[in-house]
Amino acid sequence: MTKSDCDKRIAILNAALELFSENGFHGTPMTLLADRANVGIGTIYRYFKNKEEVIVNLYRELKGESVAAMRENITKEMPIREQFINIFENLLKFYIANPQKFSFMEQYSYSPFINCAAKQQVCSAYAESLVNFFEYGKKHQVIKDLSTQLIFATANGQVVSLAKMHIAGEISLDDKIIRSAIETSWDALKR
Amino acid sequence: MTKSDCDKRIAILNAALELFSENGFHGTPMTLLADRANVGIGTIYRYFKNKEEVIVNLYRELKGESVAAMRENITKEMPIREQFINIFENLLKFYIANPQKFSFMEQYSYSPFINCAAKQQVCSAYAESLVNFFEYGKKHQVIKDLSTQLIFATANGQVVSLAKMHIAGEISLDDKIIRSAIETSWDALKR
Amino acid sequence: MTKSDCDKRIAILNAALELFSENGFHGTPMTLLADRANVGIGTIYRYFKNKEEVIVNLYRELKGESVAAMRENITKEMPIREQFINIFENLLKFYIANPQKFSFMEQYSYSPFINCAAKQQVCSAYAESLVNFFEYGKKHQVIKDLSTQLIFATANGQVVSLAKMHIAGEISLDDKIIRSAIETSWDALKR
Amino acid sequence: MTKSDCDKRIAILNAALELFSENGFHGTPMTLLADRANVGIGTIYRYFKNKEEVIVNLYRELKGESVAAMRENITKEMPIREQFINIFENLLKFYIANPQKFSFMEQYSYSPFINCAAKQQVCSAYAESLVNFFEYGKKHQVIKDLSTQLIFATANGQVVSLAKMHIAGEISLDDKIIRSAIETSWDALKR
DNA sequence: AATGAATGAGACTTCATTCAT
DNA sequence: TATGAATGAAGTCTCATTCAT
């Protein structure tokens, strides 16, 4: 695949992100997507089988990005508390810095029409990182002995909720508030 | 005849809940909605100006229900901790007992095409209850001195996240787990 | 038929005239017609078989009125020129005084969907009066020896055209101008 | 390809003329229009924003044609009387030779739902030609010193009325009768 | 006799997708 | 390979008419 081939594909996904996050999947006709990406509609169908494939591929891409963001500055040698705080600070900051990506991913996660298999596949890849970390924390008796899913829900739920509110303008997050939020989350889960 | 008027309207909203939660707003044509409600399509338009009005009215109705559910067995005389735990247990149990309602409300909350004014209006009515409670808890120095929004995000985010996972089959909640989850949340927010 | 029966029928026709002339036949739903006439929709269908019947009946009524108006102050003893001028002055003034009636009748005369039989039947009744008069004028060698239809077209065409322009605000007619217009028409047709 | 682009657009307008003149605007569903034009429905919407735009564009086109027809064989050097007779003969013959075009334009001129601005804009362009001619005739004291509007109404009204009757089968016009009709009209307006 | 809630055929329009260039 | 004109299935909504009250 030449460079310029990739350029088109990326242009399409970038345009898709903009438009889907603003207008939703259903509010975004393929023609508009083509216009915004500066390609012909036919071209979209060279890179993606159909509209759903655009959505799914975009989701995959973004989920990858957010996992990468989450893992920044994390080493296994760090104290578990610090890892925890860094992980969720990373995540929340990524969401806030990329409101369109956050918006799209949440929309996607509730869209019932999307192929379930695709959803699961990508989601689990995302959760895997965290699962391992929580298991590790529990084993070392630093994190409460709750089910990993429950721990995940508690920490992740707060972060998602905060990002959503921030983007909706219902709360205004800065570094200090973010830090105190994640520390609050830690209080919930520490042993 | 009042009763029969209400019957049709309610039949439509019930069908809408079923179909919207399963297939999403856009996956539910008005014809299907009419069929499921055992009503002519024209009839829907006697009760609702258009599809969006069906959605908005359903949301309003359900949000009212969930606020009512949340307030059950809560009195101002109860210890604050007990109130907190009851409130969020109520909410989580309501979501789990009514997965379609939960699904629909979350979908709605992310739908970008829905009139923003309507969204805000209903949401704020919902949040008000909690806001007052959190303010009260902070004043009595039982809840951490964090912004009310942050407190809300922490407790509500966990509950939403748990409900979502439970419905997706990613976690299985029973009364005992629910209790420990909410207690975990309390650990986050207690002073 | 009791008096109150007639009242409803007339209320419907009055409302129809208002609404049809403003919004056209197709721009006027039966429900709106019922509202404006202060009757139930069902009631309209007691007095008229269907929407078309409302239109046709209204047309008949109005054509009758305009023939009556045209004939005012005309006696067979008058000079032919005076009769001519009075007839078309009457007609033009009737149109101007009743723009809704004029509008409706013209609309009707061009509506292709209306039962042709009904159209002809009523139209001819209208033309009959004039035909007799023109024949008489020709016989007495006061009016040019042209086909009656052509004479009719010339005099009537001018009046219709003037009424249309007046109502559209493209010309402003007063008694003096009306008189000179009809005299102009007479110049065309006199021998 | 310019040619093929125009082909579709023209096919649609041709079909529209046929169908609108036969069945009226409201009696012509877009699906039927598409069928008659041998075009998919979607294609109509590539060339016209909506049904009204089809109507307005068709009107514009036809009004242009009729102005062109009216002007044939007219030079400023001709005697005014000859110009007058040629103009209105041209117009009447154009109407008779194109009964669908005439029908459509008259229907349009009475349709209350059509955007008024568009109507005026096109109509005035049409009238302009005549206005100039009448002013010229008045200045040279060949045409009566009546308002231009009145002159227009008189000559145009007759022609429209004749065309309408001819098409309805109420009169049968040939070249000789047409000539005598327009001469009659001239008698009305000459000084 | 009068009503108006209920109906559903059918109108307009959109938009995902195809395919000839 | 890239394009975008063409398509028509399918969606939303209107409105003439019916019929039980």
Side-chain angles (χ1 to χ4, degrees):
Chain A
M1 203 168 275
T2 70
K3 184 173 171 301
S4 94
D5 277 358
C6 277
D7 282 357
K8 298 244 184 226
R9 190 176 177 278
I10 288 169
I12 293 165
L13 290 176
N14 284 342
L17 175 57
E18 275 182 51
L19 293 170
F20 290 160
S21 67
E22 280 166 35
N23 315 318
F25 310 141
H26 296 279
T28 305
M30 295 295 269
T31 37
L32 185 57
L33 180 53
D35 285 356
R36 186 70 75 94
N38 282 314
V39 293
I41 328 170
T43 305
I44 296 181
Y45 286 86
R46 292 205 71 73
Y47 290 94
F48 304 94
K49 211 185 86 199
N50 52 33
K51 191 176 186 180
E52 186 169 327
E53 282 295 293
V54 178
I55 297 170
V56 171
N57 276 277
L58 180 56
Y59 184 73
R60 232 169 248 155
E61 213 96 341
L62 297 181
K63 210 67 195 177
E65 272 189 53
S66 69
V67 173
M70 190 178 75
R71 284 174 174 157
E72 289 237 325
N73 307 320
I74 307 291
T75 66
K76 295 202 168 167
E77 293 71 36
M78 281 182 178
I80 290 172
R81 179 180 186 276
E82 202 179 333
Q83 282 191 53
F84 178 93
I85 286 176
N86 285 357
I87 285 171
F88 288 97
E89 269 194 15
N90 282 342
L91 205 53
L92 182 48
K93 283 177 178 172
F94 176 77
Y95 288 156
I96 286 171
N98 300 280
Q100 293 184 325
K101 297 180 182 178
F102 173 78
S103 250
F104 171 82
M105 286 190 288
E106 282 297 306
Q107 257 185 81
Y108 180 91
S109 79
Y110 282 103
S111 62
F113 72 99
I114 288 288
N115 187 310
C116 281
K119 200 195 293 190
Q120 292 308 70
Q121 173 197 351
V122 185
C123 274
S124 62
Y126 166 70
E128 209 174 329
S129 289
L130 289 174
V131 167
N132 293 338
F133 168 69
F134 291 140
E135 306 279 359
Y136 182 78
K138 282 194 283 183
K139 197 162 63 187
H140 286 260
Q141 306 196 345
V142 183
I143 288 178
K144 282 180 186 160
D145 189 27
L146 299 164
S147 87
T148 301
Q149 315 291 11
L150 199 160
I151 294 169
F152 173 78
T154 302
N156 191 64
Q158 188 212 38
V159 161
V160 168
S161 192
L162 283 170
K164 190 176 172 185
M165 287 170 77
H166 180 82
I167 290 163
E170 289 160 21
I171 193 174
S172 179
L173 299 174
D174 58 27
D175 281 7
K176 224 180 97 189
I177 297 174
I178 289 174
R179 162 60 62 128
S180 65
I182 308 301
E183 282 175 346
T184 294
S185 202
W186 176 253
D187 288 342
L189 299 168
K190 75 178 178 205
R191 194 150 178 192
Chain B
M1 225 135 287
T2 306
K3 187 176 171 298
S4 94
D5 274 7
C6 279
D7 280 358
K8 299 260 179 207
R9 192 177 177 278
I10 287 169
I12 293 164
L13 289 176
N14 284 342
L17 175 57
E18 275 181 50
L19 293 169
F20 289 161
S21 68
E22 280 166 35
N23 316 319
F25 312 141
H26 298 281
T28 306
M30 295 299 267
T31 38
L32 185 58
L33 180 52
D35 284 355
R36 184 70 72 95
N38 279 316
V39 154
I41 321 180
T43 305
I44 299 180
Y45 288 89
R46 287 198 70 73
Y47 290 93
F48 305 95
K49 217 183 79 198
N50 51 35
K51 191 177 186 179
E52 185 169 331
E53 284 292 292
V54 178
I55 297 170
V56 171
N57 276 276
L58 180 56
Y59 184 72
R60 231 170 248 156
E61 214 98 337
L62 297 181
K63 210 67 193 176
E65 272 187 54
S66 70
V67 173
M70 188 178 78
R71 283 175 175 159
E72 288 235 328
N73 306 321
I74 308 291
T75 67
K76 295 202 168 165
E77 292 73 34
M78 282 181 177
I80 289 171
R81 181 179 184 277
E82 201 180 334
Q83 281 190 54
F84 178 93
I85 286 176
N86 285 356
I87 284 171
F88 288 97
E89 270 195 15
N90 282 341
L91 206 52
L92 182 48
K93 285 176 176 174
F94 175 78
Y95 289 156
I96 286 171
N98 300 279
Q100 292 184 327
K101 295 180 183 178
F102 173 78
S103 248
F104 170 81
M105 286 190 288
E106 283 297 305
Q107 257 186 80
Y108 181 92
S109 79
Y110 281 103
S111 62
F113 73 99
I114 287 290
N115 185 311
C116 283
K119 201 194 294 190
Q120 292 308 69
Q121 176 195 348
V122 184
C123 276
S124 63
Y126 166 70
E128 210 173 329
S129 289
L130 290 174
V131 167
N132 292 337
F133 169 69
F134 290 141
E135 305 279 358
Y136 183 79
K138 284 194 284 183
K139 200 164 61 188
H140 286 261
Q141 307 195 346
V142 183
I143 288 177
K144 280 180 186 161
D145 190 29
L146 299 164
S147 90
T148 302
Q149 316 289 10
L150 197 157
I151 295 168
F152 173 79
T154 303
N156 191 64
Q158 187 211 38
V159 160
V160 167
S161 193
L162 284 170
K164 191 174 169 184
M165 288 170 76
H166 178 84
I167 290 163
E170 290 160 21
I171 192 174
S172 179
L173 299 173
D174 58 26
D175 281 8
K176 220 179 104 190
I177 296 175
I178 288 174
R179 162 62 62 130
S180 66
I182 308 300
E183 280 173 348
T184 293
S185 202
W186 174 253
D187 287 344
L189 299 168
K190 75 175 180 209
R191 198 154 176 186
Chain C
M1 204 170 275
T2 69
K3 185 175 170 302
S4 93
D5 276 359
C6 279
D7 282 357
K8 298 245 183 226
R9 192 178 176 278
I10 288 168
I12 292 164
L13 289 175
N14 284 342
L17 174 57
E18 274 182 52
L19 293 169
F20 289 160
S21 67
E22 280 166 34
N23 315 318
F25 312 140
H26 297 279
T28 305
M30 295 296 268
T31 37
L32 185 57
L33 181 52
D35 284 357
R36 186 69 75 93
N38 281 315
V39 292
I41 328 170
T43 305
I44 297 180
Y45 286 86
R46 291 205 72 75
Y47 289 94
F48 304 94
K49 212 184 84 197
N50 52 34
K51 191 176 186 180
E52 187 170 326
E53 282 294 293
V54 177
I55 296 170
V56 171
N57 275 277
L58 179 57
Y59 184 72
R60 231 170 249 155
E61 213 96 339
L62 296 181
K63 209 68 193 179
E65 272 188 55
S66 70
V67 173
M70 189 178 76
R71 284 175 175 158
E72 288 238 327
N73 307 321
I74 307 291
T75 66
K76 295 203 168 167
E77 292 73 35
M78 282 181 178
I80 288 172
R81 181 180 185 276
E82 201 180 335
Q83 281 189 53
F84 178 92
I85 287 176
N86 284 357
I87 285 171
F88 288 97
E89 270 196 13
N90 282 342
L91 205 52
L92 182 48
K93 284 178 177 172
F94 176 77
Y95 289 157
I96 286 171
N98 300 280
Q100 293 184 327
K101 296 179 182 177
F102 173 77
S103 249
F104 171 82
M105 286 189 290
E106 282 297 307
Q107 257 185 80
Y108 180 91
S109 78
Y110 282 103
S111 61
F113 73 100
I114 287 290
N115 186 310
C116 281
K119 201 195 294 192
Q120 293 307 69
Q121 173 196 351
V122 185
C123 274
S124 63
Y126 165 71
E128 208 175 327
S129 289
L130 289 174
V131 167
N132 292 338
F133 168 69
F134 290 141
E135 305 280 359
Y136 182 78
K138 282 195 283 184
K139 197 163 64 190
H140 285 260
Q141 307 195 345
V142 184
I143 288 179
K144 281 180 184 158
D145 189 28
L146 299 164
S147 88
T148 302
Q149 316 291 11
L150 198 160
I151 295 169
F152 173 79
T154 303
N156 191 63
Q158 186 211 40
V159 161
V160 167
S161 192
L162 285 170
K164 189 174 170 183
M165 288 171 77
H166 179 83
I167 289 163
E170 288 160 22
I171 192 175
S172 179
L173 300 173
D174 57 27
D175 281 8
K176 225 179 96 187
I177 297 174
I178 288 173
R179 162 61 62 130
S180 66
I182 307 301
E183 281 174 345
T184 294
S185 200
W186 176 253
D187 288 344
L189 299 169
K190 75 176 179 207
R191 197 154 176 187
Chain D
M1 227 134 286
T2 306
K3 187 177 172 296
S4 95
D5 274 5
C6 279
D7 281 359
K8 298 261 179 206
R9 192 177 177 277
I10 287 168
I12 293 165
L13 289 176
N14 285 343
L17 175 57
E18 276 182 49
L19 293 169
F20 289 161
S21 67
E22 281 166 35
N23 315 319
F25 312 140
H26 298 281
T28 306
M30 296 297 270
T31 38
L32 185 58
L33 180 52
D35 284 356
R36 185 70 74 94
N38 279 316
V39 153
I41 321 179
T43 305
I44 299 180
Y45 289 89
R46 286 199 70 74
Y47 290 93
F48 305 94
K49 216 184 78 197
N50 51 34
K51 191 177 188 179
E52 186 168 330
E53 284 293 293
V54 178
I55 297 170
V56 171
N57 276 276
L58 180 56
Y59 184 73
R60 230 170 251 157
E61 214 96 338
L62 296 182
K63 210 68 194 177
E65 273 188 53
S66 70
V67 173
M70 188 177 76
R71 284 175 176 156
E72 289 236 326
N73 308 319
I74 307 292
T75 66
K76 296 204 165 164
E77 292 71 35
M78 284 180 176
I80 289 171
R81 179 178 185 278
E82 201 180 335
Q83 282 190 54
F84 178 91
I85 287 176
N86 286 355
I87 285 171
F88 288 98
E89 269 195 14
N90 281 342
L91 206 51
L92 182 48
K93 286 176 175 173
F94 176 77
Y95 289 156
I96 286 170
N98 301 280
Q100 293 183 327
K101 295 180 183 178
F102 172 78
S103 250
F104 170 82
M105 285 191 287
E106 283 296 306
Q107 258 185 79
Y108 181 91
S109 79
Y110 282 103
S111 63
F113 73 99
I114 288 290
N115 186 310
C116 281
K119 200 194 294 190
Q120 293 307 70
Q121 175 196 348
V122 184
C123 275
S124 63
Y126 166 69
E128 211 174 328
S129 288
L130 290 174
V131 167
N132 293 336
F133 169 69
F134 291 140
E135 306 279 358
Y136 182 78
K138 283 194 284 182
K139 199 164 63 187
H140 285 260
Q141 306 196 348
V142 183
I143 288 179
K144 280 181 186 160
D145 190 27
L146 298 166
S147 87
T148 302
Q149 316 291 10
L150 198 155
I151 295 169
F152 173 79
T154 302
N156 191 64
Q158 189 211 37
V159 161
V160 167
S161 193
L162 284 169
K164 190 175 169 183
M165 287 171 76
H166 179 83
I167 290 163
E170 289 160 20
I171 193 175
S172 178
L173 300 173
D174 58 26
D175 281 8
K176 221 180 101 191
I177 297 174
I178 288 173
R179 162 61 62 130
S180 66
I182 308 300
E183 282 174 344
T184 294
S185 202
W186 175 254
D187 288 342
L189 299 169
K190 74 174 180 211
R191 195 154 177 188

